[in-house]
Amino acid sequence: MSTNTSTGAHSRAVAAQAIHAVLEQGQSLTQALTTYSEQLSAEDKRLAQAISYGVMRYLPVLTEKVSGKLDKPLKGKNQIIQSLLLVGTYQLFKLRTKDHAAVSATVEASKLLKRKALSGLVNGVLRQVLREAPTRNDDGERELPSAEGVNHPRWLRERIKAAYGVKAEAVFTANDSQPPLWLRANRRHTTVTDYTALLAENGIEAVADSQASDAIRLVKPVPVTKLPHFEAGWVSVQDRSAQLAADMVDAQPEHRVLDCCAAPGGKTVHLLERTEFQTPLIAIDVDEQRLERVSENLYRAELSCEVVCADVLDLDSWWDKQPFDRILLDAPCSATGVIRRHPDIKWLRRSSDIDQLVEVQQSMLERLWPTLKPGGQLIYATCSILPEENSEQISHFLGQHSDANLIAIEANRPMLQLLPGEQDGDGFFYAKIEKLP
């Protein structure tokens, strides 16, 4: 599909292709959008992203509205039109685009997708959806069902309800919403107070976080190109819950620090922004491609550390037998705490993945424990909200190791489980384990 010109139809076609790649080929939405939106203008890229992310958030209710208007399911090469119909329906409910313009652009997109013969079907289905749709509310949107986790796969909905009871509905609501844009102030260049004032001078309203000491939340998101001194590394984009990792590690200049599963490097850079280490911090990850992001982030921040591509479990391939004072294990997980940022997670994950992830996490804890100094601390972190990966994982580890002592994060919270939307942050888990002398 040629996308050399900037039209509404092109952004709709790209959104449909990206959605199709997620649902039918198992690609991540980020990967699919990168592939298909390469030739779009910056404005059209933002629109394609907004639409495709929105469809992922409301996939079940949108599918129900579309499927009821089709005489039979679209199959084979025509399945792409099913994704395009989801694109059109999402616009009619959640974008402020005029209805006729949204329908027209989506119909034109069917031609760009080489399905001109189905353009009449697209037009008919969307007009029928529109006839049955409620009126727009004060925000210019039409309401879509979101109660009781209807926009989540059943297996995940049941796990969240079992874990959180009456709090589950707040988790579902947060997952259906768009997240705020959080920044991390680089202490080597600025402070939260000074940068918030600088944002105000540029007409950007922002507030500091009460707990994450380097975190700034924008009241309304803006492109990073509009952020003062962004390219010079004064601030980075990072959720406030993830920023707490540096507080948990509490590294000192004399500490030897290991950052495990470090890619894409946000926590690595944060640690380096805060502390000038006497011994180079080691950032390790098994994914060579994702480690390139670590190097890019380090370059932008004008910082350095020892970047290692290796399997954490294969100690002989990377460990020099010198123990660490601090280990940050940002373990592979279900990512169920960041669904509002990556709604495709709901449709790419399977219930069977959880047991496999728990095994990997357990193996990493076991293998890394001997590399920690007596008196040192291992900080276990995930962006999951499932107890099996978090509190239950740590309780099991403590039961297996008499030399492991849990350090309470707060007086009434031995471990910290943050839920999506809590203090406007992502869902995240932290536990601090000290190795007894």
Side-chain angles (χ1 to χ4, degrees), residues 353-372:
D353 294 340
I354 308 306
D355 288 342
Q356 295 173 16
L357 286 163
V358 167
E359 285 186 21
V360 171
Q361 294 155 2
Q362 186 175 325
S363 297
M364 286 187 170
L365 281 165
E366 292 291 342
R367 291 294 283 161
L368 286 169
W369 192 243
T371 73
L372 185 66

Side-chain angles (χ1 to χ4, degrees), residues 1 10-38 40 44-45 47-56 59 79-80 82-84 86-87 113 344 347-348:
M1 182 189 72
H10 284 121
S11 56
R12 274 74 172 184
V14 165
Q17 287 175 307
I19 291 162
H20 182 76
V22 173
L23 300 180
E24 302 302 326
Q25 298 163 18
Q27 288 187 36
S28 75
L29 188 52
T30 301
Q31 177 188 359
L33 281 169
T34 300
T35 300
Y36 292 110
S37 67
E38 189 176 2
L40 289 183
D44 274 0
K45 280 183 180 179
L47 180 56
Q49 178 174 314
I51 293 171
S52 52
Y53 272 66
V55 169
M56 289 292 113
L59 183 62
Q79 272 187 326
I80 188 72
Q82 175 82 14
S83 295
L84 183 63
L86 296 173
V87 165
L113 294 169
D344 50 321
W347 317 115
L348 295 174

Side-chain angles (χ1 to χ4, degrees), residues 153-288:
R154 181 181 296 176
W155 72 266
L156 181 57
R157 185 166 65 239
E158 290 176 352
R159 282 180 184 255
I160 293 174
K161 284 183 175 180
Y164 296 105
V166 294
K167 292 183 178 180
E169 193 59 43
V171 174
F172 298 140
T173 300
N175 285 348
D176 287 349
S177 67
Q178 292 188 41
L181 180 61
W182 283 96
L183 304 178
R184 185 188 74 239
N186 182 350
R187 294 185 183 185
R188 295 184 180 233
H189 290 295
T190 187
T191 66
V192 166
T193 301
D194 289 348
Y195 196 80
T196 303
L198 186 58
L199 288 171
E201 290 173 15
N202 285 268
I204 301 172
E205 190 178 354
V207 293
D209 188 70
S210 60
Q211 186 181 18
S213 54
D214 297 323
I216 302 170
R217 177 176 58 82
L218 300 192
V219 174
K220 291 183 179 178
V222 300
V224 294
T225 51
K226 294 188 176 181
L227 297 173
H229 307 298
F230 179 80
E231 287 303 323
W234 283 36
V235 290
S236 298
V237 175
Q238 187 181 36
D239 184 81
R240 55 91 57 197
S241 298
Q243 290 187 44
L244 292 173
D247 290 326
M248 301 294 168
V249 173
D250 190 26
Q252 304 302 312
E254 67 274 13
H255 284 159
R256 189 167 196 249
V257 178
L258 175 66
D259 183 3
C260 289
C261 312
K267 299 178 187 68
T268 308
V269 174
H270 194 193
L271 289 167
L272 293 167
E273 287 172 351
R274 285 192 170 191
T275 310
E276 291 200 33
F277 293 106
Q278 296 165 10
T279 304
L281 178 148
I282 298 176
I284 185 171
D285 200 283
V286 73
D287 190 327
E288 189 172 358

Side-chain angles (χ1 to χ4, degrees), residues 256 258 260 312-316 318-327 329 361-378 397 400-404 433-436:
R256 189 167 196 249
L258 175 66
C260 289
V312 167
L313 297 174
D314 184 11
L315 294 185
D316 291 338
W318 62 269
W319 187 41
D320 61 5
K321 304 299 187 289
Q322 297 299 311
F324 296 97
D325 298 280
R326 295 286 187 274
I327 296 175
L329 173 54
Q361 294 155 2
Q362 186 175 325
S363 297
M364 286 187 170
L365 281 165
E366 292 291 342
R367 291 294 283 161
L368 286 169
W369 192 243
T371 73
L372 185 66
K373 278 183 185 177
Q377 295 176 10
L378 184 150
F397 181 80
Q400 299 293 312
H401 295 270
S402 59
D403 61 344
I433 309 170
E434 181 183 26
K435 191 171 197 176
L436 298 174

